[in-house]
Every structure is written in C-alpha cells, then in structure tokens.
Amino acid sequence: MNRTVIINEFGGSNKLKVVDYPINEPGIGEIRISHKACGLNFIDVYQRTGLYPLDLPHALGMEGSGIIEAIGDNVSHLKVGDRVAYASMPPGSYCDKRVMPAAQVCPLPDEISFEQGAAMMLQGMTVEYLFGRTTPIKAGDTVLFHAAAGGVGLIACQWAKSENITLIGTAGSDEKCKLALENGATHCINYNKNNFEEKVKDLTNGVGVDVVMDSVGQSTFEGSLNCLKPLGMMITFGNASGPIPPFNLGQLGAKGSLKITRPTLFTHIGNHDVCQEMANNLFTKVISGQIKIIIGQKFPLSDIALAHDSLESRMTTGSTILTI
Ligand code: NDP
C-alpha cells in the first residue's frame, strides 16, 4: 500500500484523508522517491483551508527526505540509491512514495539525517533567502522576527546569530521566548503579554529596526511597520493569524519612506542551480554546527490530522515531521 494524504475539499483537519494511491514509473525530468520522513509546514494549513487554493482533489505536503528508487529521462544530478531531501511544488509529500519533478530534489549530505533533512529544507531555505537574498543585511543590523520559536523561527534565530545580526524575536509564551533566546535571539518579546511595538522602541532606544520579517500577518502587520526605522524594509512572508487586509501604499511614505516586499520560497528555488546553491548554504550551516535543526514534534503519517491541529493551535515549537 502507498499511503497518501489527500483533500477532496477545503476545510478543517477532518478533511485530510489517508488513501492508497497508485505509484507509477517516473517520466521525463522526474524521479520516484521512497520517503523516510516528511516535513509539516504552515503552508500546508493554508492549502488545506483553501487560503492558498489547489485543484481538488489534491495530495498535500511540500517537503520530504528519502531514497531515490527510479529515475526518468533527462535527470542528471541524481541516481538510484541517492539519499535526498527537498522542498518542492506541487504538494504531495505526505506519502510513502511519490513520483515528482527532480529539479528541486537535492542530494542529502551523509552528515545530515533523514529526519533532519525532512525538517529543514523548506524552513531552512526560507531563512537562507530572507537573510541572504531579499534585502542587504549586515553584521550589526537589527531584525524583528515574529513567531521566533516556530520552525522557520528557530532556524532564523540561529542564522542571525551566526552572522552577528541582532534578532529581536516575538513569541506567544514565556516558554517559547526562552527557547528563542537559547537558540540565538538577542531579545524575545512575549507578544501575548506585551505590546511588541513599545518593547521594540525601548530595545532600540526609539530608533526602530532595519528589517522586519513578519509571517504572522493580520495581527502584527500594522505594529510591524511602526517598528521600522526610516527607510527600513518590511518583509511580509506569511499569514499565520490571517491575511493582511488591503493596504494603502501611501502609508509607507508617511511612516518614513519604508520598503515592503512579499516573497515566496518557490520563486527562489524555481531554478535548479539556485535551489542547489541555497541548499548547499543551508547544509554548510548545519554541518558546521552553526544551526541545529530542532525537531519539536514527530507524528506518524497516520496522525496527520492531529499534527495539523497542533501546528494550527500554536502548540508546536521548532520543526515538525511526519514519520513514515
Ligand atoms: P511555525 O512553526 O512558525 O508556526 C506558526 C506560528 O505562528 C505559531 O506557532 C505561532 O507562534 C504563530 N502564530 C501567531 N498567530 C497565530 C495564529 N493566529 N494562529 C496560528 N499561529 C499563529 O510555522 P512554519 O515555521 O511552518 O512557518 C512560519 C511562517 O512562515 C508561516 O506563516 C508560513 O506560512 C511562513 N512561510 C513562508 C514562506 C515563504 O517563502 N513566503 C516559506 C516558509 C514559511 P506563537 O505562538 O509564538 O505566536
């Protein structure tokens, strides 16, 4: 049996169905992978609820690791038996085996376990582009990073520390703040207890931060803009609390010639060579010990609904994987 998690309609975690899905031979540019683990990401929740619509029915899951079982024509960077990991479109990684495009599948260095591989590709390459490819950020700059104890968050805390960037994190509890601090955040604000805007002003002597990285969206967006220095850069890259309402760009001028961008990982890794370069930068940080991939939770694939509920209800910290 090849277990695969699909949705037939958008909605709650009860819409996730584990079915037996036929497995084929790979076509041109494709590989067949036997998974060892898959990653759980907040984007999977957006896809399940329909915030990021998919054609239905659709399999879910954007990340995994495993072993190459078969290779189609025109794939030169992989061979049968390779250990690999990936973050990739289209969704469909919540399964035992799948046939998928090879372009975003990267060989996994022997020093990195399958579980780490499944936990780090999507969140880690996101951090790589946020800090390295979105706006110039140098040692000594200050970044405000929301949800700093989450999957992307704990990698971001460590990445910032490794580059001598001051990271002010926010998180939803004192325990989560402690975790962010232990992983390299310079400060962490419990934004359920404190007004983060005021705290950021205090921590920066009223100056504000150079860059905000905001994946929480609706509940933080306005406050985030108010935390920026004049000419500062707002990177809005997610909507865990809900989508940002329509926004008047004129506010950017009024608040001090601010800049704003809304990037996605999949634009960055659309080109195979760039994807491999980003993965290599991440692998280097992990193998050198500068970044530890913290797997806060593991769920068997069959408990996929529970895994979604935990992520959505803010119960998780660090990365979450599904074991096969
Ligand atoms: P996380 O592990 O960070 O989980 C999301 C966190 O968001 C929660 O743990 C919670 O932390 C915080 N949060 C704040 N408000 C809410 C709310 N109302 N409901 C639920 N959670 C809330 O997830 P990921 O690491 O997978 O992803 C982090 C974010 O980054 C997501 O928004 C995701 O979509 C985005 N992302 C964007 C990418 C891109 O390229 N654009 C790529 C990868 C991820 P707390 O309790 O501390 O507030």
Side-chain angles (χ1 to χ4, degrees), residues 140-144 166 168 196-212 223-233 255 258:
D141 284 353
T142 302
V143 171
L144 171 63
T166 300
I168 302 176
F196 73 83
E197 206 184 307
E198 286 172 14
K199 288 276 175 194
V200 168
K201 284 279 150 63
D202 288 348
L203 289 167
T204 58
N205 298 319
V207 175
V209 300
D210 299 283
V211 178
V212 179
S224 292
L225 287 178
N226 295 333
C227 289
L228 281 165
K229 279 180 185 170
L231 304 174
M233 170 62 96
K255 289 180 190 289
L258 304 181

Side-chain angles (χ1 to χ4, degrees), residues 48-226:
R48 194 204 71 222
T49 59
L51 180 65
Y52 294 176
L54 298 170
D55 294 334
L56 296 177
H58 212 295
L60 288 192
M62 309 285 282
E63 184 178 35
S65 66
I67 294 179
I68 301 285
E69 272 195 352
I71 300 227
D73 288 340
N74 294 356
V75 178
S76 55
H77 71 289
L78 299 170
K79 60 184 188 313
V80 171
D82 277 354
R83 302 171 78 251
V84 294
Y86 66 88
S88 170
M89 287 282 238
S93 71
Y94 296 170
C95 62
D96 293 314
K97 296 182 183 203
R98 74 185 287 204
V99 169
M100 62 181 291
Q104 292 160 345
V105 178
C106 300
L108 184 66
D110 288 341
E111 297 91 331
I112 301 177
S113 72
F114 286 117
E115 291 199 346
Q116 286 174 311
M120 67 189 252
M121 295 299 282
L122 199 150
Q123 295 166 349
M125 289 195 289
T126 297
V127 172
E128 199 269 0
Y129 88 69
L130 286 174
F131 282 86
R133 296 171 195 263
T134 308
T135 187
I137 306 177
K138 56 184 186 317
D141 284 353
T142 302
V143 171
L144 171 63
F145 197 102
H146 292 301
V152 179
L154 287 185
I155 299 173
C157 291
Q158 298 174 80
W159 197 290
K161 185 168 188 197
S162 75
E163 312 244 312
N164 294 316
I165 293 159
T166 300
L167 184 144
I168 302 176
T170 61
S173 71
D174 292 344
E175 295 71 30
K176 287 185 177 185
C177 280
K178 184 166 174 275
L179 192 60
L181 291 167
E182 284 165 2
N183 282 282
T186 314
H187 308 280
C188 192
I189 304 161
N190 177 345
Y191 54 8
N192 284 336
K193 274 203 330 210
N194 299 285
N195 177 326
F196 73 83
E197 206 184 307
E198 286 172 14
K199 288 276 175 194
V200 168
K201 284 279 150 63
D202 288 348
L203 289 167
T204 58
N205 298 319
V207 175
V209 300
D210 299 283
V211 178
V212 179
M213 298 181 183
D214 186 338
S215 67
V216 170
Q218 200 173 87
S219 65
T220 49
F221 179 71
E222 191 73 36
S224 292
L225 287 178
N226 295 333

Side-chain angles (χ1 to χ4, degrees), residues 40-43 46 52 122-123 126 129 146-153 170-173 176 191-192 215-216 219 236-242 262-266 311-320:
L40 185 76
N41 292 282
F42 217 90
I43 188 172
Y46 305 142
Y52 294 176
L122 199 150
Q123 295 166 349
T126 297
Y129 88 69
H146 292 301
V152 179
T170 61
S173 71
K176 287 185 177 185
Y191 54 8
N192 284 336
S215 67
V216 170
S219 65
T236 164
F237 70 103
N239 4 249
S241 68
R262 204 315 182 182
T264 80
L265 174 65
F266 295 97
L311 182 61
E312 221 175 337
S313 60
R314 307 167 81 161
M315 310 262 290
T316 62
T317 53
S319 305
T320 304

